[in-house]
Amino acid sequence: MPSSISIRNATLKLEGVEILHNLSWEVERGERWFILGPNGAGKTTLVKMMLGLIWPLYGAEISVLGQRYGQVDLAQVRKKIAWSSPFMQDWTCETMPGSLTILDVVLSGLDSTVGFYRTATKEELEKAHAVLDLLHAEKLADKLFVRTSSGEQIKALIGRTLIADPELVILDETCVHLDLTSREILLDAIDSIATRKRDTTMIFITQRIEEITASFTKGMILADGRIAAMGRREDILTPENLAVAFNGLKLKLVPGPGGRLWPFPLA
């Protein structure tokens, strides 16, 4: 079976500046990866490249879900990818009709529309409620999207992408604007997805070490557009690797509940 993601020798420039440097990465189907790095490390650029929104220099090879970029219809590939990010949330809040409920937003993923403009079937409603239950958000179904919190809106947007049964889920800095309570609720929901959708490949992108739950068993640390470390979670989440990524910052990592690690700077 083809890999979910296969990137070979990818160097990418934006406005003449080299953002990613000779990056190669292989993700097998059903794996759970995290990508960790500070601001400016190249994380968002890597995501945009995976989505075919920007292109590397000649000589790179990129395949997603077994489809070689440059030889396929990217619109068809993207239909199989669920991408959630704060950028999507900001755009959606500006364009979503104010009368839409959380349930409507989730249902809109079936038609890839901004808003839901038809009557859902019984089966579609059952599927939407099941997705909200997976995200621990069933009680939000009838709330107006524009009247809910940032954390609740993020859940709705993740549900919007999950209802289409994606083969690849990319969670791009989904916790960045959330308060502590909302973040912990969302991370718990993400763990539920990882546990119950075992055939779905998941990529979790963050700049915060403590957000990486035990569900994500493989990882990559990016620094200045280069891979600083890559491999099994326990092998790469070390003070030495993190110091390379975070400008030499010396950290102590303290294990917390659920296998998460909490960083504390050393004097």
Side-chain angles (χ1 to χ4, degrees), residues 91-92 95-101 103-118 145 157 160:
W91 174 78
T92 304
T95 55
M96 279 281 188
S99 60
L100 285 184
T101 64
L103 182 63
D104 291 330
V105 172
V106 174
L107 286 167
S108 71
L110 294 169
D111 298 339
S112 298
T113 54
V114 180
F116 195 63
Y117 303 102
R118 61 180 177 83
F145 180 82
L157 293 174
R160 180 180 183 271

Side-chain angles (χ1 to χ4, degrees), residues 26-251:
E26 200 86 17
V27 177
E28 300 300 329
R29 300 260 178 161
E31 289 186 333
R32 280 86 170 90
W33 280 73
F34 64 85
I35 300 175
L36 174 69
N39 288 332
K43 303 187 300 297
T44 297
T45 300
L46 176 56
V47 171
K48 289 180 177 179
M49 189 174 71
M50 285 191 284
L51 294 170
L53 300 175
I54 52 178
W55 290 79
L57 298 180
Y58 179 79
E61 295 181 11
I62 300 177
S63 295
V64 175
L65 301 177
Q67 304 297 307
R68 174 80 174 270
Y69 282 16
Q71 301 176 358
V72 296
D73 181 352
L74 287 175
Q76 296 303 313
V77 178
R78 290 179 190 135
K79 288 181 180 180
K80 301 176 183 179
I81 302 174
W83 173 50
S84 182
S85 79
F87 309 108
M88 184 185 299
Q89 181 188 10
D90 293 342
W91 174 78
T92 304
C93 287
E94 294 175 358
T95 55
M96 279 281 188
S99 60
L100 285 184
T101 64
I102 293 288
L103 182 63
D104 291 330
V105 172
V106 174
L107 286 167
S108 71
L110 294 169
D111 298 339
S112 298
T113 54
V114 180
F116 195 63
Y117 303 102
R118 61 180 177 83
T119 301
T121 67
K122 178 182 177 182
E123 291 75 17
E124 289 171 339
L125 286 171
E126 290 175 349
K127 189 171 186 180
H129 282 289
V131 168
L132 286 172
D133 182 61
L134 179 64
L135 291 166
H136 304 175
E138 175 62 23
K139 65 181 181 181
L140 303 175
D142 296 326
K143 287 189 174 183
L144 293 178
F145 180 82
V146 296
R147 300 280 181 84
T148 53
S149 68
S150 294
E152 291 167 341
Q153 289 175 354
I154 285 287
K155 282 190 176 185
L157 293 174
I158 293 175
R160 180 180 183 271
T161 53
L162 290 178
I163 199 171
D165 293 323
E167 296 180 32
L168 171 62
V169 174
I170 301 173
L171 301 169
D172 183 9
E173 301 274 15
T174 49
C175 300
V176 70
H177 295 320
L178 303 184
D179 61 32
L180 182 59
T181 301
S182 298
R183 184 185 75 167
E184 293 305 308
I185 292 171
L186 182 60
L187 290 176
D188 186 49
I190 288 170
D191 264 351
S192 293
I193 298 169
T195 300
R196 294 166 62 177
K197 289 188 171 289
R198 296 191 177 278
D199 293 334
T200 304
T201 306
M202 294 181 65
I203 310 296
F204 182 77
I205 299 164
T206 185
Q207 55 184 290
R208 297 187 175 96
I209 301 158
E210 70 273 13
E211 291 179 357
I212 304 170
T213 68
S215 295
F216 294 89
T217 56
K218 291 189 175 181
M220 174 199 302
I221 298 177
L222 276 180
D224 297 321
R226 292 180 171 85
I227 297 174
M230 182 167 63
R232 297 185 306 170
R233 169 196 181 91
E234 59 268 27
D235 294 334
I236 70 167
L237 286 181
T238 66
E240 294 76 17
N241 287 334
L242 295 171
V244 172
F246 292 94
N247 298 315
L249 181 65
K250 294 182 179 180
L251 296 169

